Amino acid sequence: MLNCPFCGKFDSKVIDSRPTDEGQAIRRRRECNECQKRFTTYEKVEEIPLIVIKKSGNREPFNRNKLMKGVIRACEKRPVPLKSIEYIVEEIEKQLQNDMVKEVQTEVIGNMVMNRLKDLDEVAYVRFASVYREFKDLNTFMEELTKILKEKKIDLDNSS
């Protein structure tokens, strides 16, 4: 129960409830049973702040925009609709929230992105992997390409 902002008493009743425009909260009109004045409260789901553990060991808050920029960069000049990119980012963010973890390694997020990009666009996948996995030379790059080609060959062989 909430204190009345006018008289400080705890006893109030809800006279109207409705979702906010964004649908992220419930707006409640209340009336104090003591002084009969009305006031508004908002109720929203408490989100667990997600902390990302970087490769260096540093910690920083999860940043949806940073993830979106990384995926957009990988998909640059590729026939990948923005809706697909937004869906990937949304899906990853939801999965992390649903897992109810408070901290997550960048490696986990990177693998989640790569798994989704591999199915969406192989070039975007290789671009993301090359930055994320820090390919040091052409051999590492070729190993990744060979792996994709082998997987694709297996898929083609099984589709016959």
Side-chain angles (χ1 to χ4, degrees), residues 74-114:
C75 295
E76 208 169 354
K77 297 182 182 177
R78 298 295 306 150
V80 177
L82 185 58
K83 267 193 166 164
S84 297
I85 295 170
E86 289 170 341
Y87 179 76
I88 286 173
V89 172
E90 198 172 291
E91 201 176 54
I92 290 170
E93 189 174 24
K94 276 183 190 173
Q95 185 177 343
L96 291 169
Q97 289 291 338
N98 288 342
D99 288 349
M100 300 292 287
V101 293
K102 293 181 181 178
E103 295 185 331
V104 63
Q105 302 277 341
T106 54
E107 182 180 349
V108 172
I109 297 171
N111 287 332
M112 292 168 84
V113 171
M114 288 191 302

Side-chain angles (χ1 to χ4, degrees), residues 1-19:
M1 204 60 127
L2 296 168
N3 290 16
C4 170
F6 304 104
C7 70
K9 299 291 182 187
F10 282 108
D11 197 22
S12 69
K13 63 184 174 191
V14 175
I15 54 175
D16 182 41
S17 288
R18 63 182 71 169

Side-chain angles (χ1 to χ4, degrees), residues 117-158:
L117 282 178
K118 190 184 288 188
D119 296 333
L120 183 65
D121 187 277
E122 291 166 344
V123 173
Y125 164 79
V126 172
R127 284 179 180 167
F128 188 87
S130 68
V131 172
Y132 173 70
R133 290 192 178 149
E134 300 172 350
F135 292 170
K136 300 284 188 248
D137 54 28
L138 190 57
N139 288 334
T140 340
F141 192 80
M142 287 306 295
E143 286 171 13
E144 193 65 33
L145 286 176
T146 305
K147 195 163 59 174
I148 292 171
L149 292 171
K150 282 181 184 175
E151 287 174 9
K152 197 168 181 120
K153 183 175 180 351
I154 291 170
D155 289 345
L156 291 173
D157 290 344
N158 289 336

